């Protein structure tokens, strides 16, 4: 099990960072206003909305998993960190040196390209800083907005899993290998990454 070096990422418009328990109020508000938007596509959203103490517990879990190298969930914030735009992650659901990127965007911020910008950043971080060999993105086949993200970034559709998301329909599996990334246009996307104490990492 490898520990992630990257706790914070800065893109052109976004601040993507490891969650803290203190983010519970803003996470609760963001999910609550977006619940009808999220429920058709995300199984966990069917249990929402929950209360503030539940959000504190889940964020403590996210932070603990991050520090222990078990899983890596990030909040997507505006550049100043004052508004939560959505959430993403490099999830340990696959084999060694492989991750799955998940993402959702608040209903207040859809159609602004934020998911594309965040997933592009995590793809770059995954291959250039975490030395991954493969990244996958899974999304419901009926969710056209979501499947446009891997398509635009150069991921390849490998298969569709029938009824893999139960009530949420079939799931499309998009993938990118390191060799594909090495020739992808997104390699030139500028970003800054920082470690757990805020030091900029420049090893690429």
């Amino acid at each position: 099990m490898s520990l992630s070096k990257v706790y914070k990422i800065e893109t052109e418009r976004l601040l993507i960072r490891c969650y803290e328990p203190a983010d519970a109020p803003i996470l609760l508000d963001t999910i609550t206003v977006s619940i009808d938007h999220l429920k058709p596509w995300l199984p966990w959203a069917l249990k929402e909305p929950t209360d503030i103490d539940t959000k504190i517990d889940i964020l403590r879990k996210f932070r603990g998993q991050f520090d222990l190298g078990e899983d890596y969930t990030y909040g997507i914030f505006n550049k100043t960190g004052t508004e939560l735009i959505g959430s993403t992650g490099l999830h340990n659901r696959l084999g060694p040196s492989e991750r799955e990127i998940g993402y959702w965007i608040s209903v207040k911020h859809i159609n602004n390209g934020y998911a594309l910008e965040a997933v592009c950043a995590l793809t770059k971080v995954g291959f250039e800083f975490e030395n991954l060999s493969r990244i996958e993105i899974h999304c419901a086949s009926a969710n056209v907005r979501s499947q446009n993200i891997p398509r635009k970034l150069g991921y390849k559709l490998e298969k569709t899993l029938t009824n893999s998301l139960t009530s949420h329909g079939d799931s499309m599996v998009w993938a990118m290998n390191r060799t594909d990334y090495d020739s992808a246009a997104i390699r030139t996307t500028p970003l800054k990454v920082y470690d757990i104490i805020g030091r900029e990492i420049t090893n690429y």
Side-chain angles (χ1 to χ4, degrees):
M1 181 184 300
S2 62
L3 299 179
S4 176
K5 301 183 290 290
V6 179
Y7 276 69
K8 184 174 72 172
I9 307 161
E10 291 183 0
T11 68
E12 181 182 2
R13 300 179 296 167
L14 302 173
L15 171 65
I16 304 166
R17 64 165 173 80
C18 174
Y19 276 115
E20 301 286 352
D23 297 319
I26 193 171
L27 178 61
L28 176 62
D29 291 345
T30 303
I31 290 178
T32 299
V33 300
S34 301
I35 193 64
D36 292 336
H37 166 64
L38 300 175
K39 278 184 175 179
W41 314 117
L42 301 172
W44 60 261
L46 297 175
K47 300 178 181 179
E48 297 288 349
T50 57
D51 58 25
I52 189 67
D53 290 323
T54 301
K55 288 294 176 287
I56 292 171
D57 289 343
I58 192 65
L59 291 181
R60 291 179 67 184
K61 177 182 178 182
F62 286 166
R63 179 58 195 245
Q65 290 175 326
F66 206 111
D67 290 339
L68 293 173
E70 296 174 351
D71 201 52
Y72 306 100
T73 303
Y74 296 87
I76 305 171
F77 296 83
N78 64 348
K79 197 71 170 182
T80 59
T82 56
E83 186 171 9
L84 183 65
I85 290 173
S87 190
T88 189
L90 277 167
H91 300 299
N92 281 328
R93 298 169 180 162
L94 308 172
S97 77
E98 300 178 354
R99 303 268 178 85
E100 179 187 337
I101 294 180
Y103 49 91
W104 60 265
I105 297 294
S106 165
V107 69
K108 295 167 57 178
H109 295 289
I110 59 174
N111 299 323
N112 288 305
Y114 292 133
L116 185 70
E117 189 169 329
V119 175
C120 178
L122 259 65
T123 300
K124 189 178 180 76
V125 166
F127 286 121
E128 297 192 16
F129 292 87
E130 307 298 346
N131 296 316
L132 301 180
S133 62
R134 174 183 171 90
I135 297 175
E136 291 184 3
I137 294 174
H138 296 202
C139 61
S141 58
N143 191 343
V144 176
R145 182 183 287 114
S146 183
Q147 65 184 257
N148 281 337
I149 304 303
R151 180 182 290 113
K152 289 178 180 178
L153 293 176
Y155 282 74
K156 297 176 181 177
L157 177 60
E158 288 196 339
K159 56 188 173 182
T160 298
L161 304 176
T162 303
N163 296 323
S164 63
L165 295 179
T166 61
S167 62
H168 293 79
D170 298 345
S171 177
M172 304 173 78
V173 178
W174 299 80
M176 181 181 291
N177 296 319
R178 179 60 195 248
T179 52
D180 298 324
Y181 174 77
D182 287 341
S183 60
I186 62 174
R187 284 194 64 193
T188 61
T189 303
L191 54 76
K192 294 182 178 180
V193 301
Y194 302 87
D195 69 8
I196 190 171
I197 62 172
R199 295 174 299 189
E200 185 174 357
I201 305 170
T202 57
N203 63 339
Y204 75 98

